[in-house]
Amino acid sequence: MAVDLGKMADLLIAGKVEDVSGMVQEAIDEGMASQEILQSGLIAGMDVVGQRFKACEMFIPEVLRSAKAMSKGMEKLRPLLIESGATMAGTFVIGTVKGDLHDIGKNLVAMMFEGAGFKVVNLGIDLDTQVFVDAVKEHKPDLLGMSALLTTTMPKMGEVINALKEAGIRDQVKVMIGGAPVTEEFAKEIGADVYGANAGSSVDKAKEVLAA
């Protein structure tokens, strides 16, 4: 019997990590196309998670469990997607700026982007400005995300944007910023392209900007 991708999506929404991983492997073993598993199983589930998170019908611990299920499924699927030359939604590089050590919010955003079909490069935390510049040169992302949890580290975001300009690569990537103290006004002030108010809305805003 063919694997039920609708059931896979439901299990992902419920945060059933091992069940999702097992169903992905089962679908692969059956010869199901990797793109179909991704779109109709994993992404379909994460779409619902994103909608419920934005509507405050799911909360961060639940979203993290769903995102972990997505990540486990992707571990099995990613090599096949690369091998098949499947088109991703885009490449997203993300990290927290120098002096900022928080991780949960950044990782949640990274997982939501992965769930939306992006190739995600998670650089980590407490990063020097040059790390972001080098990552843009190396990975050539469609979108660079920066996160800050402290007002004292927010100016580092502007420094990264200026460094991208000095390196001559600012026009090669859209820049999204977010984090608890960050506002849309601040994003405009430093020349960012996208303000991500929260993990759920960040994906939608990024898609709008990339499609423009």
Side-chain angles (χ1 to χ4, degrees):
M1 182 184 293
V3 168
D4 183 344
L5 295 179
K7 183 179 178 183
M8 184 188 294
D10 288 341
L11 289 169
L12 187 146
I13 295 165
K16 302 293 185 183
V17 177
E18 296 306 322
D19 289 339
V20 170
S21 178
M23 281 194 81
V24 169
Q25 186 60 57
E26 195 178 333
I28 292 170
D29 293 343
E30 283 185 358
M32 193 175 287
S34 55
Q35 190 70 27
E36 184 181 0
I37 301 169
L38 176 67
Q39 294 293 339
S40 302
L42 300 182
I43 288 181
M46 282 303 289
D47 277 347
V48 174
V49 171
Q51 292 164 13
R52 291 184 181 176
F53 184 52
K54 280 193 292 185
C56 297
E57 295 171 354
M58 287 182 76
F59 299 97
I60 288 178
E62 297 166 300
V63 174
L64 287 174
R65 282 199 295 274
S66 295
K68 186 174 181 181
M70 171 82 187
S71 183
K72 281 288 185 183
M74 283 299 293
E75 284 180 10
K76 296 183 180 298
L77 206 55
R78 190 175 292 109
L80 298 176
L81 288 167
I82 294 171
E83 189 178 297
S84 69
T87 303
M88 303 296 282
T91 299
F92 177 52
V93 168
I94 185 170
T96 61
V97 294
K98 189 67 179 176
D100 224 304
L101 304 175
H102 77 284
D103 217 16
I104 293 177
K106 169 185 65 63
N107 288 344
L108 182 57
V109 172
M111 290 175 179
M112 294 298 280
F113 270 82
E114 187 170 50
F118 282 77
K119 174 187 175 185
V120 175
V121 180
N122 191 338
L123 299 174
I125 61 173
D126 191 24
L127 301 169
D128 288 322
T129 295
Q130 191 60 40
V131 173
F132 288 100
V133 175
D134 291 344
V136 170
K137 288 180 179 176
E138 178 183 353
H139 299 289
K140 302 187 186 322
D142 302 282
L143 189 68
L144 170 67
M146 290 184 285
S147 179
L149 191 62
L150 306 170
T151 55
T152 52
T153 59
M154 285 168 57
K156 294 291 183 184
M157 296 172 161
E159 291 181 17
V160 171
I161 291 175
N162 288 335
L164 292 172
K165 291 177 183 173
E166 290 170 7
I169 55 175
R170 174 64 183 93
D171 61 349
Q172 295 176 18
V173 63
K174 299 294 185 186
V175 176
M176 181 175 73
I177 66 170
V182 177
T183 64
E184 188 155 16
E185 289 71 26
F186 179 73
K188 291 177 181 174
E189 182 185 321
I190 66 171
D193 301 295
V194 190
Y195 164 60
N198 55 58
S201 66
S202 293
V203 172
D204 291 340
K205 282 201 165 186
K207 285 181 175 177
E208 288 174 12
V209 168
L210 294 178

